[in-house]
Amino acid sequence: KNSMFSFDDMLQLSDLFSQKSYEGLSIPSGYSSSGGLETIIEINDRYTHYLIGGTTGSGKSNLLHNLITSACWNYSPEQLQVYLLDFKEGVEFSRYAKDLLPHASLIATEADTEYGVSVLDHLIEIQSERYNLFKGNDCNKISEFLSKNPTEVMPRLLVFIDEFQVLFEGRQKDRTIEKLTT
């Protein structure tokens, strides 16, 4: 209430790449308005999907930038890979393309729905490959796989889509729904 906190306060140099994604991602995202407690978004094998909604100008894009920055600060590229899809004509994610983000497997500025669906196809392929690895190792989660294969590297994948609803517009709508529901 009576305190101000800077996002930079969360990004301590000692925290750079200090986290392991073995059990999931724990991403500092801001401070609570009551008491200034740090707020954390947990992304793990149980809570895997988040959708951020709000009116125009409510801060959704700022939150996405905070999450991208915080996640990439706390986890090394070996622990975390990000995919950034920007359907706002490059307005939001182009800043990451200028100074290449080492965590980025994809930075798509000015993406269209057809390209977005092809990215979903690629992610489904990765998911299928991982499921086959899990099955071959008698497990069903990244944490179980890595405990059985401690020398393997399997980063968590974090996908950020600005203007997600664009994937459900036009000719690609049915393909998008199919990809997200199978």
Side-chain angles (χ1 to χ4, degrees), residues 5-11 25-33 36-43 50 52 59-75 160:
F5 297 94
S6 166
F7 185 68
D8 291 339
D9 293 339
M10 279 192 288
L11 303 179
L25 303 172
S26 184
I27 305 170
S29 59
Y31 294 96
S32 70
S33 60
L37 299 174
E38 192 173 60
T39 57
I40 306 288
I41 292 186
E42 299 287 339
I43 301 173
Y50 287 85
I52 299 167
K60 299 178 302 292
S61 295
N62 286 335
L63 177 58
L64 287 179
H65 292 299
N66 285 357
L67 293 174
I68 293 166
T69 302
S70 183
C72 293
W73 185 267
N74 286 288
Y75 296 92
F160 292 92

Side-chain angles (χ1 to χ4, degrees), residues 104-163:
S105 291
L106 171 79
I107 302 172
T109 59
E110 301 185 44
D112 62 18
T113 54
E114 188 170 333
Y115 185 73
V117 171
S118 72
V119 171
L120 291 178
D121 285 335
H122 174 71
L123 292 167
I124 290 168
E125 284 178 29
I126 292 172
Q127 180 184 28
S128 180
E129 290 169 6
R130 287 183 174 193
Y131 283 160
N132 287 333
L133 276 174
F134 295 166
K135 189 189 307 184
N137 284 270
D138 195 30
C139 58
N140 63 5
K141 295 188 263 183
I142 290 176
S143 58
E144 291 175 357
F145 175 78
L146 291 175
S147 70
K148 291 181 177 189
N149 302 279
T151 60
E152 290 288 329
V153 175
M154 185 176 287
R156 296 277 175 164
L157 304 180
L158 198 50
V159 181
F160 292 92
I161 303 174
D162 199 13
E163 299 297 331

Side-chain angles (χ1 to χ4, degrees), residues 2-21:
N2 297 322
S3 300
M4 291 286 291
F5 297 94
S6 166
F7 185 68
D8 291 339
D9 293 339
M10 279 192 288
L11 303 179
Q12 300 296 317
L13 189 56
S14 60
D15 293 333
L16 183 63
F17 299 163
S18 65
Q19 302 297 314
K20 303 291 181 212
S21 64

Side-chain angles (χ1 to χ4, degrees), residues 79-92:
Q79 296 292 316
L80 171 68
Q81 289 291 297
V82 297
Y83 289 75
L84 306 176
L85 274 169
D86 189 344
F87 291 110
K88 265 194 199 173
E89 299 180 18
V91 172
E92 288 306 327

